[in-house]
Amino acid sequence: MSDRYVAALRRSMSDPDGFWLDAASALEWDKAPEKGWVQGQGWFADGLLNTCHNAVDRHVANGRGDDVAVIYDSPVTDQIRKFTFAQLQDEVARVAGMLAGQGVTAGDRVIIYMPMIPETLFAMLGCARIGAIHSVVFGGFAAPELAKRIDDATPRLLLTASCGIEGHRVVEYKPLVDHALDLASHKVDRVILFQRPQAPAAMTAGRDLDWATLRAVAEPVGCVPVKATDPLYILYTSGTTGTPKGVVRENGGHAVALSWSMANIYGLKPGDIFWAASDVGWVVGHSYIVYGPLIAGCTTVLFEGKPVGTPDAGTFWRTIVRHQVDVFFTAPTAIRAIRKEDPEGKFIADIGLGKMRALFLAGERADPDTIHWAETQLQMPVIDHWWQTELGWPALATCLGLGDTRRLAGSAGFPVPGYAFHVFDESGNDVETGQSGNVVIKLPLAPGAYATLWNNAAGYAKSFQTFPGYYETGDAGFIDAEGFVHIMGRTDDIINVAGHRLSTGQMEQIVAAHPAIAECAVIGVDDVLKGMVPMAFAVPKAGVEMSDELAKEIIWTVREELGPVAALKHAHLVDALPKTRSGKILRATLRRLANGEHVETPPTIENPAVLVAIRALFSFETSE
Ligand code: COA
Ligand code: AMP
């Protein structure tokens, strides 16, 4: 372990306020905070700042106006556009003016349902500029999910584009937005729509406004100072129920944590080029496509494409060389997709890697095989690191910027300074080294972690109730004798499908609501490409025929209700679900059977014959 890592970790534990106030001094404040953590108030509660100023304007003021801030690389539309910090400032100030022109002021919510285009960044930063709270909704969610977020966030305005581009598929957003607004109880007066030539949308008279027209006449506006504890954004993520959790991120702690992480975790300095191949609809996109790199004065790459098929498995390496990316971040599933198409790494050999010096992976567990393949092909550190939407930035990592290089395939690394990890048994006692249990983090959480859940203080409190004084991550794992932390999976019904966080409980609610279905279970099954995929077991109501059509309809319903991102492709119709005598569905047993494992009949089972029937389903079928 590097001395710098050890020193930083120790100081973050013994003097957290001093540690984080030092980190805060890297930013420009309208009023610098004098206090770090204050119970009941949060981090830097006496500070005033503007996140957009720190991400954009201050770099221009410091003479970096001509440096490139954003590179938009879109293989799906065959475009590359670059924006300097000065151009970004102008764009963002105008978009902020466009929002202000519609009456949006500090504290108002703005929903952003937009694809991976520069205007989405301008919109996010434009909200931050005037103190409005953005809520970006991932484009892979269907209209009912968008409607839930509209009703919870009660936005003044909705920003959208006419379409997104998914590989070779053009996804029209306008019908989805119209449907969501019909479903929502909250009325949104105005929709501002950015027209894309791939699928221009018809405007709804009296409600929809054209982005380009408004942007052309908008007066640029400046940055509004906000309290460090004022919300910057709400990002909805899957919880254990059908209702998404609105993670609330505050301005101050977020800016400080991201600024610190860029230098000390990723090892980047101003002017370096960072690329996170994710989507702005996820937390990775918020933190490491938009805010982190820009706050740190780095160039960020906004990539509208897929790891494979746009046009081929060499697209990542080509983009890295073309833009001279220093550090790259993606999900393990993307590396698995590339490996599947290019197992020998021919594209890497042909194209090269420019000056790239490290690959970071997160979003799901990085299996050792994938890490080994990537390290062999790339010949550089491949670093798995772990975090969650709730935390907003990595909590386990190998801190490259602190000179640390120790890695172990299968582990997500060591606690990042600011985080004290424990693995607890069900009674809240530390388990023995190497034993699995509940992964928890001692309070207070580091700056940047969520301050609450929007409209759901009780839901927020739940994560702190099971183990008083600790945050329950919902993940299971262990700490080995060398201190490496291994995250092995969830303790609840959340699954990670291709790096996307989904709730099987939510899918169960959708399937169970189907008029032909009596009850159901949805589980996550291992998948060589996506890590996990959902699989449904549904019991039709008495008298309903078990047909392929019904199974297909279940799959279709989940896609319509939750969105294509749900990726439910397997639905099995069964006579009954295996249950304990007390009526609990044996989901773990189902999961193991579907994974092709040998499963003894559990002694607690009420209906062993059901298990025999389900076992038969998988005697010829393993997970796909
Ligand atoms: N808008 C609309 N639809 C979307 C979407 C979006 N923004 N994102 C995904 N979808 C759709 C996909 O087109 C796909 O639809 P299909 O069932 O019609 O094929 C479905 O949702 C599932 O998407 P996904 O699970 O991403 O699978 P895929 O087959 O399209 O791609 C990978 C597979 C591995 C290439 C892809 O999952 C990938 O790049 N993953 C990386 C994920 C990532 O970056 N996660 C962020 C956390 S770091
Ligand atoms: P999200 O909130 O979408 O970032 O998903 C967070 C969840 O993804 C975590 O609670 C983990 O279950 C999983 N996850 C993220 N990164 C990793 C990782 N590096 N290793 C194992 N699991 C991970």
Side-chain angles (χ1 to χ4, degrees):
M1 250 179 246
S2 82
D3 293 346
R4 281 167 60 216
Y5 165 73
V6 173
L9 184 69
R10 287 210 179 119
R11 182 165 179 230
S12 75
M13 294 297 132
S14 61
D15 175 23
D17 287 348
F19 182 87
W20 288 115
L21 283 166
D22 274 359
S25 68
L27 300 176
E28 279 181 11
W29 297 79
D30 294 278
K31 180 184 175 303
E34 288 170 18
K35 292 181 183 144
W37 171 260
V38 178
Q39 188 64 35
Q41 293 179 30
W43 283 100
F44 316 119
D46 59 341
L48 290 178
L49 82 169
N50 182 282
T51 297
C52 179
H53 171 81
N54 278 284
V56 184
D57 298 56
R58 82 173 157 131
H59 303 309
V60 178
N62 291 340
R64 299 205 40 227
D66 292 336
D67 292 356
V68 175
V70 179
I71 300 171
Y72 166 57
D73 190 320
S74 170
V76 294
T77 61
D78 209 11
Q79 283 185 82
I80 295 174
R81 287 169 68 196
K82 296 185 182 179
F83 300 86
T84 63
F85 278 103
Q87 288 167 332
L88 182 63
Q89 182 183 36
D90 184 53
E91 292 290 348
V92 171
R94 286 179 196 279
V95 170
M98 172 175 100
L99 301 177
Q102 294 304 313
V104 176
T105 57
D108 283 343
R109 275 80 57 210
V110 175
I111 293 240
I112 302 177
Y113 187 67
M114 294 180 68
M116 291 283 286
I117 55 175
E119 286 69 20
T120 310
L121 264 70
F122 306 157
M124 293 167 75
L125 290 161
C127 288
R129 196 171 185 84
I130 55 173
I133 303 168
H134 62 69
S135 188
V136 181
V137 179
F138 179 61
F141 284 122
E145 286 299 305
L146 177 57
K148 282 183 198 168
R149 286 151 175 83
I150 292 169
D151 277 339
D152 196 61
T154 57
R156 180 177 283 269
L157 202 62
L158 191 149
L159 305 179
T160 191
S162 56
C163 68
I165 301 163
E166 264 297 293
H168 302 284
R169 187 162 61 96
V170 173
V171 181
E172 289 187 31
Y173 279 16
K174 184 67 189 337
L176 290 165
V177 167
D178 287 344
H179 187 199
L181 289 172
D182 282 347
L183 291 173
S185 318
H186 172 73
K187 288 292 151 237
V188 180
D189 295 334
R190 289 273 178 263
V191 171
I192 302 183
L193 184 138
F194 182 78
Q195 293 283 13
R196 301 188 79 189
Q198 292 78 13
M203 306 293 266
T204 305
R207 188 196 69 192
D208 297 351
L209 300 167
D210 178 57
W211 183 300
T213 310
L214 292 184
R215 146 78 181 71
V217 295
E219 287 294 322
V221 299
C223 296
V224 174
V226 297
K227 286 200 281 191
T229 50
D230 281 342
L232 169 69
Y233 69 75
I234 306 167
L235 178 58
Y236 289 89
T237 188
S238 298
T240 52
T241 66
T243 313
K245 306 194 312 184
V247 163
V248 176
R249 191 88 57 217
E250 296 178 344
N251 277 277
H254 174 252
V256 172
L258 292 187
S259 149
W260 188 89
S261 72
M262 289 300 294
N264 296 289
I265 297 180
Y266 300 106
L268 292 157
K269 54 184 190 316
D272 282 348
I273 299 166
F274 184 69
W275 176 21
S278 178
D279 189 287
V280 282
W282 304 116
V283 69
V284 174
H286 281 62
S287 296
Y288 294 113
I289 296 175
V290 186
Y291 290 109
L294 294 176
I295 287 172
C298 295
T299 304
T300 186
V301 179
L302 176 72
F303 178 77
E304 188 179 30
K306 294 260 176 185
V308 293
T310 58
D312 55 35
T315 197
F316 274 8
W317 323 125
R318 223 170 275 124
T319 306
I320 284 163
V321 171
R322 185 185 294 137
H323 303 304
Q324 291 295 295
V325 169
D326 289 284
V327 173
F328 178 46
F329 177 161
T330 192
T333 191
I335 300 296
R336 289 195 296 266
I338 292 170
R339 179 185 180 180
K340 197 171 158 210
E341 304 242 323
D342 183 21
E344 310 297 328
K346 290 201 178 101
F347 279 115
I348 302 170
D350 284 354
I351 297 164
L353 294 161
K355 61 191 178 87
M356 175 176 162
R357 55 179 185 264
L359 167 65
F360 281 83
L361 299 174
E364 57 175 328
R365 180 161 187 270
D367 54 291
D369 201 31
T370 299
I371 298 254
H372 292 315
W373 183 84
E375 285 206 321
T376 306
Q377 298 299 333
L378 303 178
Q379 295 293 308
M380 66 179 70
V382 174
I383 299 176
D384 181 17
H385 63 329
W386 173 94
W387 45 305
Q388 308 178 302
T389 307
E390 290 84 343
L391 301 176
W393 64 290
L396 290 171
T398 299
C399 290
L400 211 56
L402 290 172
D404 210 4
T405 51
R406 289 205 324 163
R407 303 183 302 284
L408 177 66
S411 155
F414 298 98
V416 167
Y419 290 101
F421 277 81
H422 291 258
V423 178
F424 279 171
D425 64 18
E426 296 307 316
S427 317
N429 299 313
D430 282 293
V431 299
E432 300 277 321
T433 301
Q435 295 292 309
S436 284
N438 301 287
V439 176
V440 302
I441 305 174
K442 197 169 185 314
L443 300 183
L445 291 172
Y450 67 154
T452 187
L453 292 177
W454 189 257
N455 285 334
N456 187 6
Y460 177 70
K462 266 197 190 149
S463 292
F464 305 91
Q465 267 160 7
T466 316
F467 305 112
Y470 296 84
Y471 165 67
E472 189 180 6
T473 64
D475 279 7
F478 66 93
I479 304 178
D480 70 18
E482 288 179 81
F484 281 104
V485 185
H486 300 247
I487 301 287
M488 304 308 290
R490 296 285 306 186
T491 57
D492 53 20
D493 60 5
I494 286 168
I495 55 171
N496 267 73
V497 179
H500 310 311
R501 173 167 159 177
L502 300 165
S503 160
T504 54
Q506 183 179 9
M507 290 186 224
E508 284 185 6
Q509 278 183 26
I510 296 170
V511 178
H514 189 285
I517 298 301
E519 63 172 343
C520 76
V522 178
I523 53 160
V525 179
D526 295 346
D527 183 86
V528 284
L529 177 64
K530 296 192 176 186
M532 263 194 177
V533 288
M535 181 181 282
F537 294 85
V539 181
K541 283 184 180 155
V544 174
E545 197 194 330
M546 292 209 193
S547 61
D548 284 351
E549 283 64 40
L550 180 55
K552 279 188 198 140
E553 215 176 289
I554 288 172
I555 290 168
W556 181 83
T557 307
V558 172
R559 195 178 168 100
E560 287 294 296
E561 291 285 317
L562 182 53
V565 70
L568 177 71
K569 308 273 186 206
H570 302 277
H572 297 285
L573 299 173
V574 291
D575 289 323
L577 297 169
K579 288 189 182 169
T580 61
R581 285 182 202 102
S582 59
K584 226 174 131 214
I585 298 171
L586 289 161
R587 288 187 175 77
T589 306
L590 276 176
R591 193 178 312 122
R592 291 181 56 210
L593 279 173
N595 278 338
E597 292 175 37
H598 173 75
V599 183
E600 297 291 342
T601 305
T604 50
I605 194 164
E606 162 78 9
N607 46 1
V610 168
L611 213 55
V612 174
I614 292 177
R615 201 176 268 137
L617 278 177
F618 297 100
S619 58
F620 56 91
E621 181 189 328
T622 51
S623 65
E624 279 176 48

